[in-house]
Amino acid sequence: MRNFLMDALPPEQVALIYSEKERDPWLKPLQHVPQSQRDALRILYGHRLPRNAIEGFHGHPIWEVGLLRDPTSWCVSMYNFLQTAAERHRVKGWSFEKWYGTIKRNRVSRFYLKNYYRLSSTKLRFMSERNRFDFMSEHFEKFWFVGDYRNCDNVVARIAEELGVPFEKLPHIHAAPENSVRVQDLSDALRARIREENALDQALYDAWGKRLWDGKPDLDAGSDLPSRWTWANIAS
C-alpha cells in the first residue's frame, strides 16, 4: 500500500509518518507544519501517525481508516515476520510459545491507543478493558472505514477513485515467505489462551471487523470485558 500511494501521487500530496522525527511536527500541526504543506496534502499515513494531525485540516473532509486483525493471526504474523529479522529482534530459534510468553497483550488496541490517540502508559494502566473498548468504539463510530485488514484492496481502490488515480490490485507480500507457523498449526488450547489473554483485541475485532463502511458494529462483543481496573492492567 505504501508504494502504491507514494508512486501514484505527487510527493507533496503524501506524508509518510513512520519515525518519531516525522511524527513530532504533526503533534501540533498548526504550529509546526506550514499551511502551504497542509493545503497540498491528500494522504497522511504511517505507524507513527497521531490523530492530532487532524487539527491541521479544519474544514477539510477527513477519511479515517482503521484496519483490525484478530489477535491469534496477528501473533502468528508478527512471529513469522520477526523470524526474518532475527538478528535484530533476537528471537532466532525461539518457539512460537516461548516468544508469545514474552510480549505484551492486546497489541492491536495498544497500538491505536498509544500511537494514534497518544494516551500515556499511566492513563492506560487505569483504564479497564471495557473502558478501552468503549473509548475505541466511540471513535470508530466516526471512521470512514473500520474493519478486517483483508479489505485493504477495497479501501485503497475507493481512495484511488476519489483521488482520480488508477488502481490495480495490490501485491500481497507475506512478511515471511516461508511461514514457519500458521494459525492452524497452533493447538486448540493455545489458540483459546491467546483469545482469552487478548480479550480486548478479540472483542474489538468481533465488534468492528465486519463494519466496513456502513455496517453496524456488534457492540455486545465487549459486554464480557472487565469494567473494573485490576493489577492485570499493568501488564497490558
Side-chain angles (χ1 to χ4, degrees):
M1 186 168 108
R2 175 173 63 186
N3 290 342
F4 167 76
L5 293 172
M6 296 186 74
D7 292 343
L9 296 171
E12 66 273 11
Q13 293 186 10
V14 182
L16 175 64
I17 305 173
Y18 268 88
S19 69
E20 292 184 2
K21 182 179 180 180
E22 292 166 333
R23 176 205 65 196
D24 288 349
W26 291 101
L27 296 176
K28 295 182 178 180
L30 294 176
Q31 299 178 28
H32 300 301
V33 181
Q35 182 73 52
S36 58
Q37 181 181 349
R38 287 183 274 125
D39 287 343
L41 282 170
R42 304 296 301 277
I43 297 284
L44 281 83
Y45 71 104
H47 288 165
R48 298 283 183 177
L49 174 65
R51 195 172 190 275
N52 308 58
I54 289 178
E55 297 171 4
F57 300 95
H58 289 304
H60 294 268
I62 304 294
W63 288 7
E64 287 182 276
V65 174
L67 300 176
L68 296 172
R69 190 166 189 165
D70 75 272
T72 306
S73 69
W74 184 93
C75 287
V76 167
S77 178
M78 179 57 70
Y79 171 79
N80 287 329
F81 167 71
L82 294 179
Q83 298 304 304
T84 70
E87 71 286 350
R88 174 182 170 191
H89 298 283
R90 301 181 182 179
V91 297
K92 185 176 182 179
W94 287 21
S95 68
F96 176 86
E97 290 86 346
K98 178 179 179 180
W99 170 80
Y100 174 72
T102 68
I103 66 171
K104 290 182 179 292
R105 304 305 186 238
N106 294 305
R107 292 287 295 272
V108 174
S109 56
R110 185 179 181 84
F111 185 89
Y112 276 99
L113 293 167
K114 287 184 69 69
N115 289 282
Y116 191 56
Y117 293 108
R118 305 290 300 158
L119 298 188
S120 68
S121 295
T122 301
K123 173 72 172 177
L124 287 177
R125 287 171 181 169
F126 288 94
M127 292 176 71
S128 70
E129 289 194 350
R130 183 56 192 260
N131 291 154
R132 299 183 195 190
F133 178 88
D134 290 343
F135 176 92
M136 292 191 64
S137 292
E138 180 180 351
H139 285 276
F140 279 164
E141 288 280 4
K142 305 168 188 174
F143 274 43
W144 175 70
F145 173 93
V146 58
D148 189 295
Y149 76 101
R150 287 169 291 191
N151 290 280
C152 190
D153 278 339
N154 295 329
V155 171
V156 177
R158 288 207 186 187
I159 293 174
E161 181 180 5
E162 174 69 17
L163 296 175
V165 297
F167 171 77
E168 296 182 4
K169 185 176 177 63
L170 299 173
H172 287 206
I173 302 173
H174 295 290
E178 296 180 1
N179 286 337
S180 57
V181 173
R182 299 170 299 172
V183 170
Q184 56 266 40
D185 294 331
L186 306 183
S187 68
D188 291 344
L190 181 53
R191 279 182 277 175
R193 176 188 169 193
I194 294 172
R195 289 193 298 269
E196 180 180 353
E197 293 180 346
N198 299 271
L200 172 58
D201 281 1
Q202 187 67 56
L204 284 167
Y205 180 80
D206 291 342
W208 292 93
K210 296 181 180 179
R211 185 268 205 170
L212 310 185
W213 286 274
D214 303 314
K216 296 289 186 181
D218 178 13
L219 298 182
D220 287 341
S223 61
D224 291 333
L225 293 172
S227 58
R228 297 182 62 184
W229 179 89
T230 69
W231 283 106
N233 290 51
I234 297 293
S236 62

